Structures are given as structure tokens and as C-alpha cells.
Amino acid sequence: MKKRTYTGEADLKRLQNFNAAAIAATEHCGYLHPGDIPHHIYNGNRHYDPVDLMTIWEDEHGVAAWLLADPGHKSFDAQVRPDLRGGAFERDVLQLATERTITLMQQHNIASDYLYADAFRGDSARRELLTALGYEPDGGLPYVLNKTEIKAVEMPALPPGFAFRSARGIEDAANLAEVHNASFGSNWTPALYQKVMESPGYAPERELVICGPDGVYVAFTIIWFDHLNRTGSFEPVGTHKDYRRRGFGRALMVYGMQQMAAAGMVFATVAHFGENEAARGLYQVCGFKPWHLLDDYKKQTELA
């Protein structure tokens, strides 16, 4: 077994292919959608160098596992090939994930009583290994991965002056940073979002927006494709706080599913935190139903 660091775009494609194949073998249980991988690396960890965060294991069959430490979220992604799950190798991956993430939190002065991990409810092997490594259930509501078959539906009409469009490129970075901030209360700057737009895996034509008559973006989403499993994913989905409860979120998701279908997708997925009732309601209206539940686990870190 060979362990190495991440090298960039070629590795990203390898990891996306790895996850697509694992999803095909497991009905998605235990794995990130291939689109989540660049999103987690370059968006969720935008303040860090991916080389510092990522570890890849390879054997004679190709990628055996990969790890993304996520110090900012006090967590990590650890993906292990289906034939290697539940044994000593996965335990070693999780042990390194724990140690590496805590080390990075120390280096970046991130204080926390706990380190967090998650496990699909159907993944008993992961749950048992986390428990053996000293993690305990967090006790909160589960994270929900939803799925729907993409069907032909009539497009909702937008108010006069509003229109669907895709991002054009880095010239849209300021507008996209603004709608991200207004949707989630985050702290994007145009320069920081431009960095994401220039990262591997991002494609401006897959960042969809509704543009208002004054040029402001009132809703946005990024759609991702898993061509092997013919499944698209929405990540993230946001509506500007000044334009909520006007149907823009649903309209954009219906539009997004049309774009997915045009790219050959048959199914769509989207996820939300268990306590996010607004997201739950939006996705149900769009035809999504819960598919997999994920529970949080936590381990004391003594980094408070």
C-alpha cells in the first residue's frame, strides 16, 4: 500500500471516478457524490492548501482510500474502497484522519472541545470503527441526503425582469460572492470566490442563478454530474435573504434539473442539515425524498 499527497486536477479526476465506482457498488451508502469532492476541497477549505489537507492511498488496484482533513469545520472526509471497508485498513485511515485534523487545528489556532465525524446509518462498519476510536454519537438530528427521479415538469414563471442564467466566468465573482453571503451569512470576497472559480472541477456553466432586473443575483446553485450513475447533485443551494418565500429557490431547482437531464442525468440528489426545516420544505416541494441519513459523532480534543 502506497500513501502519498494530492497533486491537483489529475488526482481530483481519479478521486471522482473512485467515488462514482464506489457509489455504483453500494447504492451511495458511505460515499460523497463526485461533485462534493471539489466543493469540499476548494470551496469548504478555501483558506487552506489542499496538499496540506489530503492523503491518498493506492495499491495494485488503484485508489484504495483518500482523506481530506477539514480543520475549519473540525472534521474530515475519509473514503475507503468498498472491498477494504470495515477492517484494519479503514481503522488506520480513520486514525490518521483524527490525528491529522487535530494537528492542523492546532497549527491554525482552531479551538474546539470536539472533533466531529459522520457515518451513514447503513454503514455499520464505519459506525463501529468510530466508536472503537473513541467517538460517541453527537445526539443531534441526522443529516439528510435526498433523492428524486428527474421528470419533465412545467417551468415556474419568473416575475417580469427576472431571468435564469449561468455564471459567465470570473467577471461574475463579485455578484456570486454577494449572493453567497446574503444567503448564508458567510464572508466571501470577490477575490476569494474568483479563486474557487479558477480551481479544478469548477465550471461556470454549472453555477446557475436567477438574475433580477437590477442585476442582483437573487438565488444560486451549483449542479454537479456523476455520469457513471447518471445522478446530478445540487451543492450548494441558496436564496438571497431579501428574496425568500417568493418561489425563486424552487424555480431554480426545477431549472437545474432540466440542465441535469440535458447532460444525461436521470436522478438528482440534494442534502440538508436535519434542523433546517426551510431546506427540507423546499426539497420536498421539488419532489425529493429522504434517501440516506447520516449521524454526527464527536471525540474530545482538549483544544478548547
Side-chain angles (χ1 to χ4, degrees), residues 43 46-47 177-178 180-182 184-193:
N43 185 308
R46 55 190 175 274
H47 298 295
E178 180 182 0
H180 278 245
N181 292 339
F184 300 129
S186 44
N187 57 352
W188 288 97
T189 65
L192 200 54
Y193 203 75

Side-chain angles (χ1 to χ4, degrees), residues 2-3 44 49 65-66 80 104 117 125 134 157 164 181 185 198 205 211 218 232 246 258 272 275:
K2 176 185 175 183
K3 184 172 68 175
D49 183 344
W66 62 267
V80 178
L104 287 166
F164 299 106
N181 292 339
E198 294 172 336
E205 63 271 18
C211 183
V218 306
R246 295 173 59 179
Q258 289 188 341
H272 66 83
E275 66 273 14

Side-chain angles (χ1 to χ4, degrees), residues 41-52:
I41 296 172
Y42 297 107
N43 185 308
N45 284 283
R46 55 190 175 274
H47 298 295
Y48 306 100
D49 183 344
V51 174
D52 293 336

Side-chain angles (χ1 to χ4, degrees), residues 52-127:
D52 293 336
L53 306 182
M54 298 204 69
T55 305
I56 298 171
W57 289 261
E58 293 173 314
D59 61 13
E60 65 273 18
H61 303 294
V63 175
W66 62 267
L67 158 67
L68 173 66
D70 187 348
H73 293 96
K74 310 172 187 69
S75 186
F76 56 82
D77 294 319
Q79 306 277 266
V80 178
R81 201 170 63 214
D83 63 298
L84 295 171
R85 283 165 65 171
F89 175 66
E90 183 172 4
R91 181 189 172 102
D92 289 346
V93 170
L94 294 173
Q95 181 64 45
L96 180 64
T98 300
E99 295 169 356
R100 182 63 183 150
T101 306
I102 289 175
T103 296
L104 287 166
M105 290 168 65
Q106 291 172 324
Q107 290 177 358
H108 293 280
N109 298 312
I110 298 171
S112 176
D113 290 324
Y114 293 100
L115 177 68
Y116 296 91
D118 61 46
F120 282 67
R121 286 198 175 172
D123 188 356
S124 58
R126 173 63 61 92
R127 299 164 75 90

Side-chain angles (χ1 to χ4, degrees), residues 23 28 31-37 39-40 143 145-148 150 206-208 221-227 229-237 253 256-257 259-261 263 265-272 283 288 291:
I23 287 169
H28 212 303
Y31 295 97
L32 296 171
H33 186 280
D36 283 324
I37 302 173
H39 182 71
H40 286 199
Y143 190 72
L145 177 63
N146 304 276
K147 183 179 181 181
T148 189
I150 299 174
R206 289 190 286 98
E207 180 142 24
L208 310 178
T221 189
I222 303 177
I223 56 173
W224 305 90
F225 302 144
D226 175 353
H227 291 282
N229 296 291
R230 301 184 73 184
T231 301
S233 175
F234 290 94
E235 178 61 48
V237 180
M253 293 193 74
M257 282 189 275
Q259 305 308 301
M260 289 178 182
M265 303 298 106
V266 176
F267 303 99
T269 62
V270 67
H272 66 83
Y283 303 151
F288 288 88
W291 185 25

